Amino acid sequence: MSLDPASNPPAPAVRPWSVDDLPALEPDPFLDEVLREEPITRIALPHGSGHAWLVTRYEDVRFVTSDPRFSREEVVGREVTSMAPQAVASQTAGLQYIDPPRHTRLRRVVARAFTARGMERLRPMAERTAHRMLDTMEKAGPPGDLMEHLHTPFPIAVVCFFLGADEDDWHQWAGNSEALLSQSTDAERNRAARLATRGRVVDLLRRRRDEPRDDLAGVLAQAAEAGEITDDEAVSLAMAVYVSGGHAVRNNSGSMMYTLLTHPEQLEQLHADPALLPRAVEELFRYVPHRNGVGIPRVATEDVELGGHLIRAGDVVYNAYVAANRDPGVFPDPDALDFGREGPGHLAFGHGPHFCLAALMARMEAEVMIRAVLDRFPGLRLAVPADEVEFQREGLIRGPRTLPVTWWDAGSPGRIKSPQGRTESP
C-alpha cells in the first residue's frame, strides 16, 4: 500500500548538532531534549553534507535496526552528514557496510570464534593478565592510574591474543587505535594508523595460513583459503574486531570503573554480593554513555512510515543507542544506576543483524576487570575529586584518559594513602 504524503505531518526542521565534548559521563543534553520533545527529528552533523533523520526512542531504534528496508550498504560511496571527516570502518569489505545475504555469510564465519565456549577458554588468560597488570600497579604503590595499568593494556592484550598475535605486542597496536577512532581532521594521521594496523593484520593472517590455530586469525585464514571469504574481507573483519575489542573496551570499561567509584552505594553492593556482578555489568552497559553522537547510518530503500513521519526512499537515518538506553518509557528513572533493574535489555551492543559479535567478549572482559580490581583493592577510591578526572577529547568513544586511584596501604594496616602521599584514617 502506498503512503499518502498528505497524511503525514511536515518534516521537522533540521537541527544542527555540533556533538561537543561533554564533562565526564554527562548525558548529551541534545539527545535528552530530542528524546523528550521530538524523538524522530532531522539533524546536520559537523562533517559531510545534507541532513539525516535521528531516531532516539527504544522501540523506534529496534525497528530501524532490524527492518531490511534500512540499508547500510546504500551508504557506501555517498556523502552524508557525519561525525568524522572520513568513515572509521572500511566501506569496501567487512561487516559494517553490507546487508544480508552477504552480511549473513561473513558474520557466520566470524561467529565461529565468538562462542560462549571460546570466551570461557579465554577467561583464564584474561584473569591472569588482569592480575599481572595490577601487580605492577600495586608494587608501585598508591596513587596509581587504572587507565595506564589496566584499562588500556588489558583489552589490547586480550583482543591481540584472541586474534592470534603475541600477548606482549599490545603496546605496538594501542597507539593506532586512538587515531582510527579520532574525530581529528588530521587525515594523514588517520591514514597512517589504518595502514599500519592493516599491515599487522595481513602479516598475522599470512602466518596463520602456515601455522593454523583456533584463534580468530586462524578461523579467517582457513575461511579465505576455502573460498568462503576473500582476503580483503578477512583483513577487514579482523580489523573491525581489533578496533571494537581494543579501543572501545578500553574506554567503556574505564567509564564503568569511574561510574562505580562515583557511586559508593552501588560499589558497596558489589563488595557485599559478588554474585551480583553480571547484572551490574549489564546495567553499567546501559547507564554509561559509551560514545559521542551516533555511529554508522542507514539509508531507507523505500518509503517507510515511522512514528508519524514519512521517511522517504534515499533518506539517511541515524540511530541513537545512547538515547534509547535512557528512554523513560522503557527504563523507569533512566538516569539512576540500579543493579536490581528489571525489564528489557539495553542496546549498547546494537540490535538486529548488526548486533555486535564481540558482545560476549566485552561482557567477559568487564566482569574480569571489575572483579580483579575489587578483589585486589577493597579500599579503592579516586585519588582526585571526580570532576578533576580527565576524559578523552575529540573521540568517537567516550572514556577517561586517566583514572587516578588510591587504596588501602598494606604497609600501614587500617590506613590509606592520600593523593598527596600522606597516610590517614579511612
Side-chain angles (χ1 to χ4, degrees), residues 88 92 101 125 175 217 303:
V88 172
T92 59
M125 170 269 171
D303 290 357

Side-chain angles (χ1 to χ4, degrees), residues 1-220:
M1 181 177 68
S2 61
L3 296 171
D4 178 9
S7 67
N8 289 273
V14 176
R15 299 175 181 237
W17 185 14
S18 58
V19 197
D20 298 321
D21 284 319
L22 296 165
L25 298 179
E26 181 179 310
D28 192 318
F30 178 87
L31 288 176
D32 285 348
E33 177 184 337
V34 170
L35 181 61
R36 288 193 315 268
E37 300 177 3
E38 201 169 47
I40 300 174
T41 191
R42 295 193 299 171
I43 57 169
L45 290 164
H47 299 280
S49 63
H51 61 266
W53 291 94
L54 176 67
V55 179
T56 58
R57 280 188 301 220
Y58 183 90
E59 291 302 333
D60 292 339
V61 168
R62 283 170 55 92
F63 174 81
V64 171
T65 52
S66 59
D67 192 300
R69 293 174 295 178
F70 295 97
S71 165
R72 280 191 173 183
E73 206 164 284
E74 291 295 321
V75 178
V76 177
R78 175 173 174 171
E79 186 173 4
V80 301
T81 186
S82 62
M83 287 282 303
Q86 57 186 4
V88 172
S90 170
Q91 291 192 348
T92 59
L95 293 171
Q96 290 86 351
Y97 286 92
I98 59 174
D99 302 326
R102 180 169 175 243
H103 178 271
T104 306
R105 173 176 59 83
L106 294 182
R107 186 181 177 95
R108 187 181 298 119
V109 170
V110 181
R112 294 170 191 164
F114 281 106
T115 63
R117 183 177 177 183
M119 293 306 104
E120 286 309 308
R121 284 199 304 266
L122 193 60
R123 185 182 286 265
M125 170 269 171
E127 291 172 343
R128 290 192 302 270
T129 299
H131 282 283
R132 186 169 66 247
M133 291 172 174
L134 291 175
D135 285 342
T136 303
M137 188 175 84
E138 186 174 25
K139 183 177 180 180
D145 180 4
L146 273 175
M147 297 307 296
E148 174 188 353
H149 289 283
L150 181 66
H151 295 288
T152 295
F154 176 84
I156 296 296
V158 171
V159 77
C160 284
F161 185 83
F162 178 72
L163 285 172
D166 293 335
E167 189 175 316
D168 292 337
D169 281 351
W170 67 265
H171 51 86
Q172 301 292 336
W173 297 65
N176 287 326
S177 68
E178 293 286 343
L180 285 171
L181 287 180
S182 173
Q183 294 183 64
S184 169
T185 56
D186 188 347
E188 181 58 32
R189 177 171 176 257
N190 293 344
R191 190 181 72 86
R194 184 173 299 283
L195 288 175
T197 303
R198 181 182 175 84
R200 292 183 180 279
V201 168
V202 168
D203 180 65
L204 187 56
L205 290 168
R206 185 182 299 117
R207 281 190 283 148
R208 281 297 165 266
R209 288 199 175 190
D210 298 329
E211 305 169 11
R213 294 185 188 174
D214 292 334
D215 49 42
L216 179 62
V219 168
L220 295 175

